[in-house]
Amino acid sequence: MKRINILRCATAIAVLACSAFGTSAFAQSDVQTRTFCIYDPIGANGFIYQALQDYVLQARAWGYKLETRAYTDEAVAASDLKAGQCDIASLTGVRTIHFVKFAGSLDMAGGLQTYDEEKTAIRVMSSPKAAHYMKQGPYEVIGVVPLGKAFLFARDRHLLDSISNIAGKKVAVLSYDKQASTLANVAGASPVGASIASFGPMFNNGSVDLAYAPAFAYNALELYKGLGTKGGIADFVLGMLSGQLIARADRFDADFGQKSRSWVFDNMFDSTLSRVTGAEDEIPEKFWVHISGERDQKYREMFRTVRVKLWEEDWYSHRMQHLLKKIRCSSDPGLAECSLDSEGGAVN
């Protein structure tokens, strides 16, 4: 938080100084106003909305005054982006895949397991060499930050003892997240459609047995109520969630997207990561169910099966899918999948 405040002050001082002495590259009349729609399940008091105020200040230095709107419903923010009512929207990668497949595929099921791996992937995505792939149609992803590991929450921790225990159980899945419903079907569970706003209450009132979420949902959505005294959280990483800034490219200068991606990676990755890991530390140790050994191998194989299926259905960007396989195998060359001819071929 201290670093964020220092950065915010420094940026504000720079903007004010330029204005006061008339040395800004952008005269007041040159500043263009754009609408920035920020999805945060907590609204304007949430950490996503607050963290992006630094970006708003930086954009002013680039000649854009961003008028922010807070959204607690991601679907509405995405709809307003499509309708042209937002020039930039802050969405999750699970949603962004419907706009820019390469960038949205970062949040792939079992795609990455560690934040070091995710940082490598986002560094690649934010580099000028990847600029072409961050655009699709009228949209361009102009910044990516980590939003945390997704974990499986169970009202009965014994369901996590074996994948076979999940068969027949109800699991809340986001209705637009094809990978989640595919995963539930492969595991033999019964997917129940939900939204980000509804899956918490469904888990807490027992309408479903299982739900997946990042750690910050534990307090923000009060998932501890559903965990009660018998519940548990598997520490196997279902996927690495990301927050992505997506813009209508024709509303900005041609070099804005790359400038923005580089700035977001250099200035927001570490501070955002600190917030999400802090949320993971807030979960009491008693709830964690550690997945290792043979169970870890079975989880990994199930996720590989899901990714192969979705490769064949062209759901993910093949380029991103092979990139994430290379990153996984660079971190752990001993993984069985590394020598298999799947997800774009063997990598060692």
Side-chain angles (χ1 to χ4, degrees), residues 291-327:
I291 306 297
S292 59
E294 184 179 352
R295 280 197 297 174
D296 179 80
Q297 292 177 13
K298 288 184 177 178
Y299 268 80
R300 284 183 180 273
E301 180 55 27
M302 182 174 69
F303 276 79
R304 192 185 74 84
T305 300
V306 169
R307 291 195 304 271
V308 169
K309 180 177 177 60
L310 293 176
W311 170 286
E312 294 169 350
E313 296 178 5
D314 200 29
W315 174 250
Y316 296 131
S317 156
H318 287 182
R319 185 176 296 276
M320 176 60 79
Q321 195 157 358
H322 191 59
L323 170 64
L324 297 190
K325 180 177 181 178
K326 289 197 291 186
I327 292 173

Side-chain angles (χ1 to χ4, degrees), residues 27 48 88 93 117 142:
I48 297 172
I88 305 176
E117 292 175 347
I142 59 173

